[in-house]
Protein backbone atom coordinates (compact mmCIF):
# COMPACT_ATOMS: atom_id res chain seq x y z
CA UNK A 1 0.00 0.00 0.00
CA UNK A 2 1.34 3.49 -0.79
CA UNK A 3 2.68 5.51 2.11
CA UNK A 4 -0.04 7.28 4.08
CA UNK A 5 0.36 10.72 5.55
CA UNK A 6 -0.40 9.28 8.99
CA UNK A 7 0.35 5.79 10.26
CA UNK A 8 -3.05 5.67 11.99
CA UNK A 9 -6.46 6.60 10.71
CA UNK A 10 -7.83 10.02 11.58
CA UNK A 11 -10.68 9.58 14.04
CA UNK A 12 -12.58 12.87 14.09
CA UNK A 13 -14.88 13.79 16.98
CA UNK A 14 -17.72 13.69 14.45
CA UNK A 15 -17.76 11.63 11.30
CA UNK A 16 -16.19 8.37 10.20
CA UNK A 17 -12.51 7.45 10.51
CA UNK A 18 -10.45 7.99 7.37
CA UNK A 19 -6.93 8.25 6.01
CA UNK A 20 -5.36 10.75 3.64
CA UNK A 21 -2.48 10.02 1.29
CA UNK A 22 -0.65 11.84 -1.45
CA UNK A 23 -2.26 10.60 -4.69
CA UNK A 24 -0.42 7.75 -6.36
CA UNK A 25 -0.34 6.90 -10.06
CA UNK A 26 -2.85 4.15 -9.25
CA UNK A 27 -5.18 6.74 -7.74
CA UNK A 28 -5.74 8.20 -11.20
CA UNK A 29 -7.59 4.98 -12.02
CA UNK A 30 -9.41 4.96 -8.68
CA UNK A 31 -10.54 8.59 -9.06
CA UNK A 32 -11.65 7.91 -12.63
CA UNK A 33 -13.80 4.99 -11.42
CA UNK A 34 -15.11 6.86 -8.37
CA UNK A 35 -16.11 9.93 -10.37
CA UNK A 36 -17.49 8.11 -13.44
CA UNK A 37 -20.97 9.17 -12.38
CA UNK A 38 -23.10 11.98 -13.81
CA UNK A 39 -24.40 12.90 -10.34
CA UNK A 40 -20.89 13.18 -8.91
CA UNK A 41 -19.85 15.36 -11.84
CA UNK A 42 -23.03 17.47 -11.94
CA UNK A 43 -21.21 20.55 -10.64
CA UNK A 44 -17.85 19.74 -12.24
CA UNK A 45 -18.62 20.07 -15.93
CA UNK A 46 -21.59 17.71 -15.96
CA UNK A 47 -19.93 14.58 -17.28
CA UNK A 48 -17.15 12.22 -16.25
CA UNK A 49 -13.62 13.19 -17.30
CA UNK A 50 -11.28 11.05 -19.37
CA UNK A 51 -8.70 8.92 -17.56
CA UNK A 52 -5.89 11.12 -18.92
CA UNK A 53 -7.33 14.06 -16.95
CA UNK A 54 -6.85 12.10 -13.71
CA UNK A 55 -3.31 11.07 -14.63
CA UNK A 56 -2.40 14.75 -15.03
CA UNK A 57 -4.43 15.76 -11.98
CA UNK A 58 -2.81 13.23 -9.61
CA UNK A 59 0.67 14.11 -10.96
CA UNK A 60 -0.03 17.80 -10.29
CA UNK A 61 -1.10 16.97 -6.73
CA UNK A 62 2.13 15.06 -6.11
CA UNK A 63 4.04 18.16 -7.26
CA UNK A 64 1.99 20.40 -4.95
CA UNK A 65 2.71 18.12 -2.00
CA UNK A 66 6.44 18.04 -2.76
CA UNK A 67 6.62 21.83 -3.19
CA UNK A 68 4.09 23.06 -0.61
CA UNK A 69 3.44 20.24 1.84
CA UNK A 70 -0.21 19.93 0.90
CA UNK A 71 -2.36 18.90 -2.05
CA UNK A 72 -5.70 17.33 -2.85
CA UNK A 73 -5.12 14.06 -0.99
CA UNK A 74 -6.74 10.74 -1.76
CA UNK A 75 -9.37 10.10 0.89
CA UNK A 76 -9.55 6.49 2.07
CA UNK A 77 -12.38 5.12 4.19
CA UNK A 78 -11.81 2.92 7.25
CA UNK A 79 -11.61 -0.16 5.00
CA UNK A 80 -8.86 1.46 2.90
CA UNK A 81 -11.11 2.02 -0.14
CA UNK A 82 -10.84 5.25 -2.14
CA UNK A 83 -13.77 7.46 -1.16
CA UNK A 84 -12.65 10.49 -3.19
CA UNK A 85 -10.29 13.35 -2.47
CA UNK A 86 -10.02 16.34 -0.20
CA UNK A 87 -7.28 18.85 0.45
CA UNK A 88 -5.96 22.14 -0.81
CA UNK A 89 -4.12 23.46 -3.84
CA UNK A 90 -3.23 26.79 -5.41
CA UNK A 91 -6.25 28.05 -7.37
CA UNK A 92 -5.60 26.57 -10.84
CA UNK A 93 -7.49 28.97 -13.14
CA UNK A 94 -6.94 32.44 -14.63
CA UNK A 95 -10.26 33.68 -13.19
CA UNK A 96 -11.52 33.75 -9.61
CA UNK A 97 -9.18 33.82 -6.60
CA UNK A 98 -5.90 33.80 -8.53
CA UNK A 99 -2.92 33.41 -6.19
CA UNK A 100 -4.96 32.00 -3.32
CA UNK A 101 -5.13 28.50 -1.83
CA UNK A 102 -8.34 26.63 -2.53
CA UNK A 103 -9.73 23.92 -0.26
CA UNK A 104 -11.80 21.32 -2.05
CA UNK A 105 -13.36 17.87 -1.96
CA UNK A 106 -15.09 15.41 -4.25
CA UNK A 107 -16.53 12.11 -3.11
CA UNK A 108 -17.75 8.98 -4.83
CA UNK A 109 -21.52 8.70 -4.46
CA UNK A 110 -21.43 5.76 -1.98
CA UNK A 111 -19.51 8.07 0.40
CA UNK A 112 -22.04 10.91 0.30
CA UNK A 113 -23.89 11.84 3.47
CA UNK A 114 -21.54 10.01 5.82
CA UNK A 115 -19.54 13.00 7.12
CA UNK A 116 -16.36 12.40 5.11
CA UNK A 117 -16.29 15.78 3.33
CA UNK A 118 -16.57 17.87 6.48
CA UNK A 119 -14.28 15.71 8.64
CA UNK A 120 -11.56 15.46 5.98
CA UNK A 121 -11.85 19.18 5.15
CA UNK A 122 -11.39 20.02 8.84
CA UNK A 123 -8.25 17.86 8.86
CA UNK A 124 -7.13 19.68 5.71
CA UNK A 125 -7.51 23.04 7.44
CA UNK A 126 -5.24 21.86 10.26
CA UNK A 127 -2.63 20.59 7.80
CA UNK A 128 -2.55 23.72 5.61
CA UNK A 129 -2.35 25.88 8.74
CA UNK A 130 0.66 23.80 9.83
CA UNK A 131 2.18 24.38 6.37
CA UNK A 132 2.00 28.15 6.98
CA UNK A 133 -1.14 29.01 5.00
CA UNK A 134 -3.13 31.77 6.68
CA UNK A 135 -6.22 31.84 4.47
CA UNK A 136 -8.14 29.47 2.22
CA UNK A 137 -11.02 29.86 -0.18
CA UNK A 138 -13.59 27.39 -1.46
CA UNK A 139 -15.13 27.88 -4.86
CA UNK A 140 -18.49 26.11 -4.90
CA UNK A 141 -21.11 25.99 -7.65
CA UNK A 142 -24.01 28.05 -6.28
CA UNK A 143 -26.44 25.17 -7.01
CA UNK A 144 -24.39 22.65 -4.99
CA UNK A 145 -26.27 22.74 -1.67
CA UNK A 146 -24.26 19.84 -0.19
CA UNK A 147 -20.91 21.59 -0.70
CA UNK A 148 -22.31 24.95 0.42
CA UNK A 149 -23.35 23.19 3.65
CA UNK A 150 -19.80 21.83 4.09
CA UNK A 151 -18.35 25.35 3.80
CA UNK A 152 -20.75 26.57 6.46
CA UNK A 153 -19.87 23.67 8.81
CA UNK A 154 -16.21 24.69 8.35
CA UNK A 155 -17.03 28.24 9.43
CA UNK A 156 -16.40 29.74 5.99
CA UNK A 157 -18.19 32.93 5.00
CA UNK A 158 -19.57 33.84 1.59
CA UNK A 159 -17.43 36.62 0.10
CA UNK A 160 -18.79 36.94 -3.42
CA UNK A 161 -20.62 35.20 -6.24
CA UNK A 162 -18.94 35.03 -9.65
CA UNK A 163 -20.02 33.85 -13.11
CA UNK A 164 -18.14 30.77 -14.32
CA UNK A 165 -16.40 31.51 -17.64
CA UNK A 166 -17.72 29.37 -20.49
CA UNK A 167 -20.71 28.07 -18.51
CA UNK A 168 -23.74 30.26 -19.16
CA UNK A 169 -25.92 30.83 -16.14
CA UNK A 170 -23.55 29.08 -13.73
CA UNK A 171 -22.49 31.03 -10.67
CA UNK A 172 -19.77 30.11 -8.23
CA UNK A 173 -19.81 31.12 -4.57
CA UNK A 174 -16.46 32.16 -3.13
CA UNK A 175 -16.15 31.38 0.56
CA UNK A 176 -13.18 32.54 2.63
CA UNK A 177 -11.68 31.55 5.95
CA UNK A 178 -8.75 32.98 7.89
CA UNK A 179 -6.81 30.23 9.64
Amino acid sequence: MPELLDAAAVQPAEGPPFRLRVPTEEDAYAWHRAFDDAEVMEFHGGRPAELSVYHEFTARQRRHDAERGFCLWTLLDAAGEVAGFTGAQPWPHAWGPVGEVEIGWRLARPSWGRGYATAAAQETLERVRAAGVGRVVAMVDARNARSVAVTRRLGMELEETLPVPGRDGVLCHRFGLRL
Side-chain angles (χ1 to χ4, degrees), residues 163-179:
V164 178
R167 294 175 62 196
D168 292 339
V170 177
L171 298 174
C172 193
H173 288 326
R174 175 182 173 178
F175 295 88
L177 180 67
R178 295 240 175 254
L179 300 177

Side-chain angles (χ1 to χ4, degrees), residues 25 72 82 86 108 158:
E25 289 183 33
L72 292 173
V82 173
T86 191
L158 179 62

Side-chain angles (χ1 to χ4, degrees), residues 122-137:
Q122 288 171 330
E123 178 70 14
T124 294
L125 292 177
E126 290 180 30
R127 292 177 185 213
V128 297
R129 182 182 297 118
V133 175
R135 173 181 157 76
V136 295
V137 299

